[in-house]
Amino acid sequence: MAKITWLSLAFCGWTVVTSAQNMTDLAVMNDKSADRQVLNIGTNPPVADTVFLHPDRIRYDHRCFQIEGKDVFIFSGSFHYFRVPRPLWADRFRKLKAAGFNCVETYVPWNWHERNMPRSVRDDSQIDLGDLEAFLQMAEDFGLYVILRPGPYICAEWSGGGFPQWLMRKKPEETAYKVWLQSDDPEFMRWNEHWYRAVCRVAAPYQLTEKPVGGKGIILFQVENEFNRVNWFPKEAKRGYLEQLAGIARKYGIEVPVITCWTDESRNVGEGVLNGVVDMVNSYPRWQVEKNFGRLVNLQMKTQPGKPLVSGELQGGWCCELGWPLSWDQDGLPPVQTQNLTLYALERGFGALNFYMVVGGTNFDDWAARQQITSYDYAAAIGEGGMTNERYRRFRGLSAFIREHGTRIARADLDYVPYTSTDTDVKLAVRITPDGDRYFFIRTEERSRQHFGTIYTQGLALDFALEPFGAMVYYLPSGAGKGTWYPRLPEPQVRDMRPLPSVELKQEGVMEDRLPVEWTRLRDGETVDNDGIYGRHFIYYRTSAYRGSMLEVGRIGKSVMNRSAADTVLVAVDGKLVPIDRETPEKAYYRIPGDSASRQKTDVLLLFENRGLHHHTNAAVEAHWKIGPDFVRSRGEDLPLRYAYTEKACGERWSAGGDWPHLTSVSQLENPLLKWHFYSFETVGDRDDVLYFLRLEHAGNGFVYVNGHCIGRCYQEGPQREYYIPECWLHQDRPNRVAVSLRPCSQGNAVESALIILKKQNSRQVICAV
């Protein structure tokens, strides 16, 4: 019996969860019917050759994609250009390329590119796709293929799931279904075509099929996104909707294969445009790889056996909502999970993998979806500020292995061979190539200890050494007596431990917000959306009400919109905040001070905080799509409102330069509705290895501005306390200016401490002096 050993194993200092539990789902492991079905070529439903418009350039079979006649394993990473300032794209592309990825994936958010409402579906004057075109050109320059996902719905934890704020004003009074977005309503489809026509005009010239042989370009174009979540119209109608979208893409010049994800209606379609659409597997299994991911793989192979296994989103981290732990502090996201998950995908025969996210970013301004924090670092391999980490190192090792063996593994047959393991928590599966090469996948989902032992199978004894939750592959060529263990990870990065010089953060002052001078009257039944205001910063409202009366304000309450927190309306009368008397999911009640018998009216000032538009579509989201209160009433009558949308303009102006505002109180409120905190700091010099973060400990909710840019939202409830300042927005020749707006929460609205944190690109962290 041959004895094969591997005794070197590097552990990288990552904390291991101490509570042990075997997460292996034996039912999934033992369910071989789907595997046999997909490996039996004779039973695969045919994919018509006519779906490949340029089969000599790009096509696929049931195992792999072929580009220019050769199998290509697509190893892709998600990078959202709209979450990274354009001057920093090249840095992220270099790191993506250096990690071994041959493809980049991105969503294309409609609301980012068409921010103002057009006159009609034929009016393209409000669409600016300059960022998309620049991104596609840069991807080509760096030699990367592109997977393009233009929605129209993108999710992405992005405001409105990518739909423009103005789009709901186009909704007809009568619709076929209660929910309009993501339906086959004719008017909605006209607006979908409006969007696709513009995107395709830019994307079509960047397709691989338009490039010289050997060039790079768009290889896959996605229609819709995560459509299984939609349940408000029949499946047959959903299929027709998908056919329309795919047809529109073809109409406007998309010739590469069309894909979608989490969309059952596109699977196992025998004819028509959907016959060639590949539905992708999205999976975020954390610790339960076989149970959560394996179940989806089995389903995919049973319902789409004639097409390759493709992951549109394989876990590369996870986002962070308000009140959650930050991404790197969440359970089930360590770099070892990336290695385990990737090798399990190879074990199951995937021919294309896209990891979401590989490049982290930031939800600048008010683009974060409801409940999302400003940071979209995602615990990604390339962090929010461009820093690389242990997950990045794992990707480098995995990409080298895939580059050498990926398509051969996809072409190999999977066999769960009999074996005996001295460690019952360590499992084995084998893929065997037509010429007899074998890939032994050895992995565990037990994560409390290291695993050393031997697996006996097929006359071999494989000595293994796995880290907690570890996975490795042993490659044994046909007829060879000795093989090689993979992945072979690069050496850990040497950290520069030298301290960085300190930076002074100077407090310039604190100011109660100046009440607006100019106010705009709202017409009855309308909100600020009707006046072309689509941002979700703070809004002031003014009205008058009888003293002693009850003021009713309609707003999104707790859990009304996908279990999210409530919007807040602060009410002030006679310079004092009025507490909430009571509230329901749809209303907040405020008792106006004074004697109701006096029949005297008084001025009422309101500050409205909208926590953002949710990234899902459903009836509740559509019902609350508009910005501002649903109504303000007293004694059963709607009160006339005037509004002022000034907070964002003030923050950008005051942080951009010039004289600071006079730091004196103007509105004379005992508890101001909004307060500003101003700071300045100077950089440490022209150093490209230093990143700047603003650390805030504060009470209240608000927005952070630096040098005329809105960095994003800040919430008292956390968890985010550090805010990345892109280096391209910093001044090297003059002071940098910071403005923070805060409305009071349960603990008031004060900054307890403000620090500038310097981080080197290798993640070494130094807290700077105040």
Side-chain angles (χ1 to χ4, degrees):
M1 180 181 290
K3 187 174 180 66
I4 301 169
T5 62
W6 176 66
L7 298 177
S8 63
L9 180 64
F11 295 97
C12 304
W14 291 91
T15 302
V16 178
V17 177
T18 56
S19 59
Q21 182 179 3
N22 188 349
M23 295 297 182
T24 301
D25 187 326
L26 295 179
V28 171
M29 285 291 291
N30 294 329
D31 180 8
K32 302 177 184 178
S33 60
D35 304 302
R36 292 195 182 104
Q37 182 180 1
V38 76
L39 295 179
N40 187 344
I41 297 175
T43 64
N44 289 330
V47 175
D49 283 341
T50 55
V51 306
F52 304 113
L53 302 185
H54 297 276
D56 57 321
R57 300 301 307 275
I58 181 168
R59 61 172 297 143
Y60 61 78
D61 57 27
H62 71 293
R63 296 289 184 92
C64 287
F65 285 88
Q66 293 86 48
I67 296 179
E68 294 162 4
K70 296 181 180 179
D71 284 348
V72 173
F73 193 104
I74 298 171
F75 193 59
S76 177
S78 294
F79 171 13
H80 293 166
Y81 58 90
F82 45 94
R83 284 181 158 123
V84 179
R86 192 190 292 193
L88 304 181
W89 290 357
D91 171 80
R92 309 304 192 260
F93 270 116
R94 277 192 294 270
K95 290 167 181 172
L96 193 68
K97 183 80 171 180
F101 291 91
N102 63 4
C103 183
V104 63
E105 175 272 328
T106 188
Y107 282 125
V108 186
W110 186 353
N111 54 7
W112 178 261
H113 292 287
E114 192 170 21
R115 303 188 187 188
N116 297 316
M117 186 171 66
R119 293 184 299 274
S120 70
V121 293
R122 303 304 305 175
D123 177 16
D124 294 344
S125 65
Q126 302 304 312
I127 300 177
D128 181 357
L129 287 161
D131 280 348
L132 173 60
E133 185 165 12
F135 183 83
L136 294 174
Q137 183 60 60
M138 193 171 291
E140 181 181 344
D141 294 342
F142 275 89
L144 294 169
Y145 299 117
V146 176
I147 299 173
L148 201 65
R149 305 170 73 187
Y153 169 70
I154 68 169
C155 186
E157 293 78 53
W158 186 254
S159 178
F163 287 120
Q165 181 69 40
W166 53 260
L167 184 60
M168 285 300 294
R169 293 191 62 197
K170 306 297 183 179
K171 181 179 178 179
E173 290 187 10
E174 297 292 332
T175 58
Y177 312 103
K178 185 175 182 180
V179 180
W180 186 59
L181 299 174
Q182 291 187 276
S183 79
D184 64 349
D185 179 271
E187 185 64 16
F188 180 64
M189 289 306 307
R190 281 191 281 273
W191 284 103
N192 282 342
E193 183 166 355
H194 164 86
W195 170 237
Y196 266 33
R197 182 176 66 245
V199 171
C200 293
R201 185 184 303 123
V202 171
Y206 285 93
Q207 295 176 100
L208 179 73
T209 53
E210 298 296 319
K211 302 298 178 181
V213 172
K216 298 296 188 292
I218 298 169
I219 56 173
L220 300 173
F221 185 98
Q222 180 174 309
V223 297
E224 251 308 324
N225 188 52
E226 301 174 3
F227 206 40
N228 286 350
R229 186 185 51 79
V230 171
N231 58 8
W232 43 82
F233 66 114
K235 291 182 72 67
E236 193 59 35
K238 288 177 66 178
R239 177 172 162 176
Y241 169 77
L242 293 169
E243 289 174 342
Q244 290 185 69
L245 283 182
I248 293 170
R250 291 292 189 225
K251 175 181 177 180
Y252 292 108
I254 298 303
E255 300 178 335
V256 296
V258 174
I259 58 175
T260 189
C261 70
W262 270 347
T263 302
D264 291 348
E265 290 78 16
S266 67
R267 299 185 182 189
N268 211 12
V269 179
E271 59 184 5
V273 67
L274 295 186
N275 176 249
V277 173
V278 179
D279 188 38
M280 304 185 295
V281 181
N282 291 4
S283 186
Y284 297 86
R286 297 191 184 245
W287 295 120
Q288 297 181 309
V289 172
E290 289 179 13
K291 179 179 179 181
N292 293 341
F293 182 34
R295 169 174 47 84
L296 296 174
V297 176
N298 282 359
L299 181 64
Q300 183 83 329
M301 290 194 290
K302 290 176 180 177
T303 58
Q304 195 174 241
K307 298 172 183 175
L309 286 172
V310 182
S311 174
E313 296 180 16
L314 200 56
Q315 187 155 42
W318 192 245
C319 62
C320 178
E321 290 194 5
L322 296 173
W324 287 10
L326 292 168
S327 295
W328 277 110
D329 297 329
Q330 294 178 30
D331 189 41
L333 300 181
V336 65
Q337 189 260 11
T338 297
Q339 183 166 319
N340 193 306
L341 180 58
T342 303
L343 294 184
Y344 182 74
L346 294 177
E347 174 188 318
R348 298 306 303 271
F350 275 73
L353 299 175
N354 178 70
F355 292 87
Y356 189 104
M357 302 286 297
V358 169
V359 179
T362 309
N363 295 315
F364 294 114
D365 204 347
D366 59 350
W367 289 107
R370 193 177 190 85
Q371 289 294 106
Q372 297 295 316
I373 67 170
T374 289
S375 174
Y376 205 73
D377 179 81
Y378 219 84
I382 303 169
E384 179 180 22
M387 298 177 291
T388 59
N389 48 55
E390 173 61 15
R391 198 186 311 280
Y392 184 85
R393 188 174 80 100
R394 301 272 177 154
F395 274 134
R396 288 181 60 199
L398 290 164
S399 68
F401 173 54
I402 288 173
R403 189 163 50 248
E404 185 177 351
H405 296 277
T407 56
R408 286 175 51 78
I409 293 174
R411 291 280 178 206
D413 290 335
L414 176 64
D415 191 2
Y416 293 112
V417 299
Y419 67 91
T420 302
S421 176
T422 60
D423 185 335
T424 57
D425 288 320
V426 177
K427 310 300 180 183
L428 172 72
V430 183
R431 294 192 76 90
I432 305 172
T433 68
D435 56 8
D437 291 356
R438 286 176 287 178
Y439 293 88
F440 297 88
F441 288 83
I442 298 174
R443 55 186 297 278
T444 183
E445 295 197 5
E446 201 289 320
R447 62 183 192 273
S448 69
R449 60 183 175 87
Q450 302 173 12
H451 297 266
F452 300 93
T454 305
I455 286 180
Y456 300 93
T457 184
Q458 298 183 325
L460 302 173
L462 283 72
D463 290 346
F464 58 81
L466 298 179
E467 61 193 312
F469 208 75
M472 298 291 291
V473 180
Y474 187 78
Y475 168 57
L476 185 63
S478 177
K482 185 178 181 180
T484 307
W485 286 96
Y486 291 98
R488 291 176 287 187
L489 301 181
E491 290 297 317
Q493 183 180 7
V494 177
R495 305 285 188 187
D496 184 356
M497 303 300 290
R498 290 174 297 177
L500 292 170
S502 61
V503 174
E504 179 185 4
L505 183 60
K506 180 183 177 183
Q507 184 172 12
E508 297 287 351
V510 179
M511 185 189 77
E512 184 178 321
D513 190 49
R514 298 177 173 183
L515 292 183
V517 176
E518 297 183 0
W519 297 80
T520 302
R521 176 72 180 268
L522 272 178
R523 293 175 290 276
D524 292 344
E526 293 190 346
T527 58
V528 298
D529 311 48
N530 298 89
D531 288 344
I533 293 176
Y534 305 128
R536 291 178 177 262
H537 284 250
F538 294 115
I539 309 176
Y540 281 111
Y541 292 89
R542 297 194 82 156
T543 189
S544 61
Y546 287 105
R547 291 191 178 275
S549 66
M550 187 67 73
L551 192 74
E552 303 175 33
V553 181
R555 54 92 177 97
I556 301 171
K558 183 178 181 181
S559 299
V560 166
M561 189 181 288
N562 294 24
R563 301 183 301 278
S564 66
D567 285 343
T568 297
V569 181
L570 300 179
V571 176
V573 176
D574 298 330
K576 297 181 180 180
L577 286 176
V578 178
I580 291 180
D581 184 85
R582 66 184 189 277
E583 56 186 318
T584 69
E586 301 288 349
K587 298 180 184 179
Y589 296 83
Y590 306 81
R591 177 69 67 183
I592 303 298
D595 183 1
S596 59
S598 68
R599 300 189 59 81
Q600 292 181 343
K601 282 192 172 183
T602 184
D603 288 336
V604 180
L605 180 66
L606 302 89
L607 183 73
F608 183 79
E609 178 191 41
N610 186 307
R611 284 180 169 247
L613 187 57
H614 204 279
H615 53 280
H616 284 166
T617 55
N618 56 40
V621 174
E622 284 196 9
H624 296 284
W625 197 271
K626 56 185 174 292
I627 300 173
D630 291 332
F631 55 81
V632 178
R633 294 174 184 157
S634 179
R635 297 184 175 182
E637 296 183 358
D638 290 328
L639 301 179
L641 296 175
R642 291 176 293 160
Y643 76 87
Y645 188 71
T646 57
E647 183 270 342
K648 179 180 179 180
C650 289
E652 290 177 340
R653 182 175 71 251
W654 288 335
S655 66
D659 295 332
W660 292 107
H662 295 295
L663 304 180
T664 58
S665 174
V666 175
S667 65
Q668 304 300 322
L669 289 175
E670 291 184 5
N671 298 295
L673 300 180
L674 194 64
K675 189 184 293 184
W676 290 94
H677 300 258
F678 301 114
Y679 304 91
S680 65
F681 67 94
E682 296 187 359
T683 60
V684 296
D686 188 9
R687 294 184 54 171
D688 57 8
D689 63 337
V690 175
L691 302 175
Y692 288 74
F693 289 76
L694 173 67
R695 177 182 287 177
L696 285 177
E697 295 291 343
H698 63 91
N701 295 348
F703 291 86
V704 177
Y705 300 85
V706 178
N707 294 338
H709 301 273
C710 184
I711 299 296
R713 295 177 182 261
C714 56
Y715 286 99
Q716 176 179 293
E717 62 205 90
Q720 185 172 0
R721 288 294 182 259
E722 293 182 7
Y723 300 85
Y724 168 58
I725 306 174
E727 49 270 39
C728 57
W729 293 351
L730 290 170
H731 300 319
Q732 301 293 334
D733 57 347
R734 61 186 186 277
N736 296 273
R737 297 161 64 99
V738 178
V740 181
S741 65
L742 290 173
R743 67 92 173 166
C745 290
S746 59
Q747 302 171 27
N749 54 346
V751 174
E752 298 155 14
S753 66
L755 306 170
I756 289 295
I757 309 298
L758 297 187
K759 299 181 181 181
K760 293 184 179 179
Q761 288 280 4
N762 62 9
S763 299
R764 173 65 178 168
Q765 182 171 317
V766 179
I767 298 179
C768 301
V770 178

